[in-house]
Amino acid sequence: MSDAFTFRPIGLVRSPFSDTTQIPKGPGAEHQAEGVLVIRDDLVEGLADIDGFSHLYVIWVFDRVTEVRLTVTPPTDDRPHGVFATRAPVRPTPIGLTVLQLLRRDGPRLHVRGIDMLDGTPILDIKPYLSNVDPETLRRGWHTEAEARRAAGR
Ligand SMILES: C[S@@+](CC[C@H](N)C(=O)[O-])C[C@H]1O[C@@H](n2cnc3c(N)ncnc32)[C@H](O)[C@@H]1O
């Protein structure tokens, strides 16, 4: 198994958020902020046909995280969970994954909605989002229990 990989970002995020405190968090948080994914000029050919997709997976780097934790208490719960059961930034491999709505493309610039990244965040990859998980089989782990406790005021 390789010890390490080196990736060059394909572009960066232009976001209204310069500080993590500005990004909505916790129960009921909605991500409606708009931003732009600016893709490197030498990679623009790779954006051909992306306009046909309403949503994209964007894979990116938590480049401003300085610590790793294996147990975290997320803002959506008051109980600790293993980091791999959460979306916390303090991960051993600091990679973020966000589904964004693609509003329009302007050359190397993808205008998107649903930003939860800081301005200048490096982008590693983009893939079209095609939801194929049957809602009947989807399980939401500790979120279901945390939501029930909040609803009951516990
Ligand atoms: C809970 S994470 C979820 C990110 C992504 N949707 C995911 O699931 O991987 C989102 C938080 O990461 C933090 N964040 C955003 N951009 C960051 C960056 N470039 N470096 C470090 N932390 C960042 C902010 O605090 C933001 O609220």
Side-chain angles (χ1 to χ4, degrees):
M1 187 164 60
S2 298
D3 283 341
F5 303 91
T6 303
F7 296 117
R8 181 178 170 200
I10 64 163
L12 56 79
V13 179
R14 281 293 166 227
S15 154
F17 305 124
S18 57
D19 189 285
T20 56
T21 58
Q22 300 168 332
I23 303 176
K25 290 182 182 57
E30 289 196 15
H31 295 291
Q32 296 296 335
E34 295 187 13
V36 182
L37 310 181
V38 185
I39 307 305
R40 283 181 8 221
D41 284 340
D42 59 309
L43 302 179
V44 168
E45 179 184 334
L47 294 175
D49 304 324
I50 204 164
D51 322 54
F53 294 92
S54 63
H55 292 77
L56 304 172
Y57 287 114
V58 179
I59 300 163
W60 50 279
V61 183
F62 291 106
D63 65 331
R64 273 151 274 186
V65 160
T66 55
E67 60 172 331
V68 172
R69 276 189 262 149
L70 297 183
T71 300
V72 297
T73 301
T76 44
D77 200 358
D78 53 8
R79 298 189 179 185
H81 301 282
V83 70
F84 299 122
T86 77
R87 308 190 72 109
V90 288
R91 329 180 66 76
T93 302
I95 288 181
L97 172 67
T98 301
V99 175
L100 294 173
Q101 183 181 2
L102 177 60
L103 301 173
R104 68 178 191 284
R105 177 184 160 198
D106 176 15
R109 300 168 67 83
L110 302 175
H111 295 258
V112 292
R113 178 180 293 134
I115 290 276
D116 64 355
M117 312 87 148
L118 293 169
D119 189 46
T121 293
I123 301 169
L124 293 179
D125 201 3
I126 294 175
K127 303 179 191 218
Y129 173 81
L130 294 171
S131 174
N132 55 9
V133 180
D134 171 6
E136 298 289 314
T137 56
L138 186 70
R139 292 192 300 128
R140 301 181 60 248
W142 54 264
H143 285 277
T144 307
E145 200 191 313
E147 284 159 10
R149 281 201 314 273
R150 273 201 303 279
R154 284 183 273 130

